[in-house]
Amino acid sequence: MELIHAYCYPPTGEFQAAINRQKALRNELPGYWVTKEGIAVLPERMYDNHLLNAMNRCESNMKLPGIRNMVIDMINMTYKKSNYSRDHQQLSKAIRKNVTYLDMVQVALKRNLI
């Protein structure tokens, strides 16, 4: 319940929370991180600690080592397909599945967290 107060969101009812969690599993809420309480939060509105923890959670779910460095290189336009040729298909597939992770990395770069 601390996130509800921290982000000043009204508490969602159990029904809406269940809908948000199901939509998150089906990738129907692009750009939003859905908490275990079912609250949809934009990465721009997350606290630094929550943002980094959410990024770590996404990275562990994707099971692609070094994904953060690849995404940062891609954002900074220094990504060369030849450097990551082995992982290029896995990277593009992982980012297509999890657009929110890309948004979180961009927000973390803007805040100088990584």
Side-chain angles (χ1 to χ4, degrees):
M1 291 303 287
E2 69 220 22
L3 286 178
I4 293 172
H5 300 295
Y7 291 110
C8 299
Y9 288 131
T12 58
E14 280 300 312
F15 182 71
Q16 185 61 45
I19 290 173
N20 287 347
R21 286 191 292 267
Q22 287 298 316
K23 283 184 176 182
L25 289 174
R26 292 189 304 255
N27 290 327
E28 293 177 2
L29 287 173
Y32 285 90
W33 175 259
V34 178
T35 65
K36 64 183 174 185
E37 291 88 10
I39 301 169
V41 183
L42 286 169
E44 293 86 23
R45 300 195 60 194
M46 289 181 174
Y47 288 129
D48 295 346
N49 192 23
H50 186 213
L51 180 66
L52 292 174
N53 287 337
M55 286 172 52
N56 290 335
R57 172 85 185 248
C58 287
E59 290 166 4
S60 66
N61 288 343
M62 286 191 254
K63 296 179 180 137
L64 187 60
I67 189 166
R68 186 178 292 183
N69 293 332
M70 287 187 269
V71 170
I72 291 171
D73 289 347
M74 189 172 68
I75 291 170
N76 293 333
M77 303 293 216
T78 57
Y79 179 83
K80 293 191 176 31
K81 188 176 175 181
S82 59
N83 292 353
Y84 303 110
S85 60
R86 181 173 61 85
D87 299 323
H88 180 71
Q89 286 182 329
Q90 290 176 325
L91 173 67
S92 59
K93 184 178 175 182
I95 289 178
R96 268 187 265 123
K97 278 185 160 183
N98 199 345
V99 178
T100 308
Y101 176 74
L102 187 61
D103 294 341
M104 285 192 273
V105 172
Q106 289 174 335
V107 170
L109 283 172
K110 284 179 188 174
R111 294 183 190 175
N112 293 322
L113 298 176
I114 54 174

